[in-house]
Amino acid sequence: MITLKSAREVEAIRRSGKITAAVLTELMQKAHAGMATRELDAIAERGIRTRGGVPTFKGYRGFPASICVSINDEVVHGIPGREVLREGDLLSIDIGTTLDDYVSDSAVTVAIGNVSADSQRLLDVTQECLMLGIAAMQRGGHVGDIGAAVQGHAERHGYGIVRELVGHGVGREMHEEPQVPNYGQRGTGAKLRPGLVLAVEPMITQGSQAVQIRKDGWTVVTADGKLAAHFEHTIVVTEQGPRILTLREFGEHPTVEAYRPDAELKAPA
Ligand code: MG
Ligand code: MG
């Protein structure tokens, strides 16, 4: 069942989203070569809890940490640990906060130091996919409009789109209906109505779209070992257009910097 959120509930998710955005900003600023990923997890847990939130991921279906960290060919759901970041890595950080019973969910992929032009292009295009998907969240439209926008941009660049994992509704639960695939056809799927809150999260691969799960039972990796990137925001559909509830004040992609939480969203040119 799809639940539309009241204005009060959207405000609760927005407050949760402010914590998610602030802590993710801190993680983006602090991630560097030579750092173990569990140090990032410690920063995240402290950052969320000192702001009064609870790390949504910790204990979720037994997940052992407060964030997911996925490096290079790891797509999503990597577990922080002793692994040390290296110059040239692509690091995906996925984070969720629960505040006053409401969840927000966001992710970015960042370059550790200097990365190749190919790696940078994957990052740029994946973030553009997210923004185009968000821009498609217009009232009266359909969930398929989001997937079609993401798919069109990724495929124009020759990239793969992970099919096994999708975006989702967000509210009191991290994963609510509807599912939000990163592929699809315009005009299909559930209707986009004001008060619908979704996590849109393109997972884009440099090579084949096929993925596998590592023996740890969590980490999703590309089957061909090529790079992947993942960006995610929590967004509400309003009468006036989509509003990002996890927008960061700093560190957004250049195509996003012009946007503010209460500004009209337009698709990047
Ligand atoms: Mg997430
Ligand atoms: Mg999500």
Side-chain angles (χ1 to χ4, degrees):
M1 192 183 65
I2 296 172
T3 60
L4 300 177
K5 274 64 183 180
S6 68
R8 189 191 60 79
E9 290 179 300
V10 170
E11 280 315 303
I13 298 169
R14 192 191 301 275
R15 285 194 297 276
S16 168
K18 278 193 191 311
I19 297 176
T20 291
V23 177
L24 188 50
T25 300
E26 185 180 358
L27 296 172
M28 293 167 75
Q29 290 167 338
K30 290 193 171 162
H32 63 269
M35 182 183 216
T37 56
R38 64 183 175 188
E39 295 175 58
L40 287 171
D41 185 57
I43 292 167
E45 178 160 15
R46 193 164 56 238
I48 292 170
R49 292 194 191 280
T50 57
R51 289 172 173 84
V54 173
T56 311
F57 297 0
K58 197 156 194 178
Y60 183 85
R61 296 184 186 165
F63 191 77
S66 295
I67 54 172
C68 301
V69 290
S70 308
I71 301 169
N72 296 332
D73 64 321
E74 299 171 351
V75 184
V76 287
H77 301 168
I79 301 170
R82 293 178 188 188
E83 185 168 6
V84 171
L85 299 172
R86 291 169 306 180
E87 175 89 12
D89 280 345
L90 292 189
L91 169 69
S92 298
I93 306 168
D94 195 346
I95 179 169
T97 300
T98 305
L99 180 73
D100 300 334
D101 295 330
Y102 285 90
V103 173
S104 57
D105 189 7
S106 186
V108 295
T109 303
V110 293
I112 301 300
N114 293 312
V115 298
S116 69
D118 280 353
S119 295
Q120 189 61 50
R121 191 170 71 94
L122 178 66
L123 291 192
D124 292 344
V125 170
T126 305
Q127 187 150 28
E128 289 160 9
C129 284
L130 170 61
M131 296 315 299
L132 288 164
I134 293 170
M137 288 178 63
Q138 302 293 338
R139 72 177 294 262
H142 294 79
V143 168
D145 301 355
I146 302 168
V150 171
Q151 180 178 12
H153 194 58
E155 289 183 348
R156 271 193 297 280
H157 288 269
Y159 291 140
I161 300 156
V162 174
R163 309 286 163 140
E164 286 83 349
L165 298 145
V166 296
H168 48 90
V170 182
R172 286 178 174 269
E173 303 293 332
M174 177 159 59
H175 294 126
E176 298 186 353
E177 289 186 47
Q179 294 198 343
V180 184
N182 292 304
Y183 54 90
Q185 287 189 311
R186 286 187 60 84
T188 65
K191 253 214 161 144
L192 301 174
R193 294 188 163 87
L196 182 64
V197 178
L198 300 177
V200 176
E201 49 179 317
M203 287 156 263
I204 304 299
T205 62
Q206 210 174 30
S208 158
Q209 68 193 30
V211 294
Q212 299 171 343
I213 297 182
R214 285 231 181 98
K215 286 198 190 108
D216 63 19
W218 282 103
T219 313
V220 177
V221 297
T222 59
D224 61 10
K226 292 194 176 176
L227 298 173
H230 176 217
F231 284 84
E232 177 179 29
H233 272 309
T234 299
I235 309 109
V236 60
V237 177
T238 78
E239 298 282 354
Q240 292 79 32
R243 297 289 180 267
I244 299 174
L245 303 175
T246 47
L247 194 74
R248 296 178 301 281
E249 289 180 39
F250 305 100
E252 287 277 11
H253 185 271
T255 55
V256 192
E257 275 174 2
Y259 302 137
R260 287 291 172 266
D262 297 311
E264 185 84 21
L265 253 183
K266 292 190 179 67

